[in-house]
Amino acid sequence: MEKYFILNRDVFRKEIVTGSKTEEKAVKYLRDKLSEYVDWIEIIPTPVDTWYEEKCVLICGDTTIYCKALPYTLSTDIELEPIHGYYLGEHIALSKPADSKIVFIPYPPDPDDAKYVVLKLWRKGAEAIVFYDQLPGRYRRIVITGDEDYSFTKGSPPPIPAVSVKKEDYLKIVKENPNKCSLEIITGVIHNNRGKTLVAGINGRGEKEIHITAHHDHWFQGFCDDNIGVELLIQLASLLKKNSYPNILLISYTAEESGAPNYTSWYWSWGSRYYLNILADMNKIDNIITDINLDTIYTSPLSINANPSLMKCLEQLMKKHKIHYRGFDHPYFDSFSYSLRGVPALTIHSFNEMLHIYHTNLDDGTEFNEKTLREALTITQELIACLTNNPPELKPLLTQIKTRLENLDGLETRMLVSKLETLQLRGIPQQKIIKLTTKEFLKTIYVPRINGLFESNLLSDIDRLHKILKNIEKYIDTELELRAVDNIRLFQLPITKHNIHEIPNVIRQIIMEQLRKYIDKIDEEIVKLLMEKNLIK
């Protein structure tokens, strides 16, 4: 038997964009391989927008450079004066005014903030952006939308083109110092297309399911993001048939990197959100015990982001393996789609360690260490075995929530804690309380700017407000802003020496109002659950 199922296959060494012919070939290969080990396979057609690139060329004086367009850049053919930019915190300094210019600028410290760079420079009059990395030898693809917010339902295409060049090519342009640069980009978007998610099942005991997930779409070669994850799905399939577990679903998702229809600004993890929407419509979400997601597996020691309800099994693993627990489920991964539905979920990854090659052409397996793959395989097997006999537990989840509330006073805080503690006394099963608490208390908050906040956690809005309240003096002469997904503005407060003595009371009132919203939502859901049990009419 060959050592690896997909890592050396040409089709997986190419860029795989959701809805493309390459994806179709990759999914067919996965289906053929998995069919040797599983009881059934289903392909889930997923509505996607397929972005593709045909040409990206930058000509500056006598220097011709091949570039990579950033999704969802549209076609263009322009010739403009080049200028240069750099960062001063969240601000951008330019060598000349940006009006009608091509701006050359490094990627921001967090490459995913690139859209804020594009939007800021567009507002200054720039007509194109050329990004380069601080390190040489790499192109990088980061999806750009024209929406500064994050939404699951809406968005817009980028207002101006953005491309990536290698640093050494940028330095050639600096040396030549041309008066003009021309940029030709040919790209396209196929709307109302279909991506393919593959679901493979190994039949087990009862109706409950454990999902093991990865994604096959990727930028460039995508060796760690996420060919290793897909490789592990097949390797697990070849091993799990010999054991007695609940039903195991091995899922290779489409549209993790891009593809959410209509330029939706929460553009990633669309394939998993769509599939879980289908399961929700079929009332099958409660069948899922947990999701174990495998993504950005690059080096050891591995990290895990997970729902606290899974802590019993995680603690067993951490005694045997060098694993870093990084907190609640991470919003960048497909596991987060499960968390949004209340399902306890986790991702095994080494995301922070691979940022230097994240979404670049250097994620090509050059630094691959088989030991890391074997470690991820062993950890996943042990997690499946542990969760089979130790389902998610409510206590560590409630402990985390109470910890986040412990420094807050007020009737609303006491009411919320009390309601959570008495849910089991009302006869509501523990697993339903875990799903209810996870779904209703999970909040994604952000500040829409370069180096701004982007955070998802239980009660993250309450926690952030409390941190601001404790350190209010440091925010004098700033304007504080905090938003939640789908353009929910939690607050926008100018803080000055003139009003600083009143701001703490304002923030306390915002906290109490947010807590009341959580209480009202929990009350609504409790009524629904009790009606299901026919305890009230």
Side-chain angles (χ1 to χ4, degrees), residues 303 326 359 405:
S303 296
R326 300 289 187 183
H359 286 185
L405 293 172

Side-chain angles (χ1 to χ4, degrees), residues 288-291 307 309-310 338-339 342-346 392 431 434-435:
I288 308 171
I289 298 171
T290 190
D291 172 51
N307 191 304
S309 64
L310 305 171
Y338 289 81
S339 292
V343 177
L346 66 88
Q431 299 307 309
I434 291 171
K435 285 186 169 65

Side-chain angles (χ1 to χ4, degrees), residues 316-348:
Q316 290 184 24
L317 283 175
M318 286 187 281
K319 289 177 182 177
K320 294 180 62 177
H321 305 278
K322 290 183 179 179
I323 302 171
H324 296 305
Y325 176 63
R326 300 289 187 183
F328 194 80
D329 186 25
H330 198 294
Y332 285 1
F333 299 123
D334 277 317
S335 54
F336 196 72
S337 298
Y338 289 81
S339 292
L340 290 170
R341 289 287 181 179
V343 177
L346 66 88
T347 290
I348 301 169

Side-chain angles (χ1 to χ4, degrees), residues 178-189:
N179 293 321
K180 295 285 184 180
C181 286
S182 66
L183 177 63
E184 182 183 4
I185 302 170
I186 300 176
T187 60
V189 180

Side-chain angles (χ1 to χ4, degrees), residues 469 500-512:
L469 191 61
I500 185 67
H501 62 286
E502 287 295 329
I503 292 296
N505 288 330
V506 173
I507 293 176
R508 288 188 190 98
Q509 287 303 311
I510 296 171
I511 290 173
M512 292 304 111

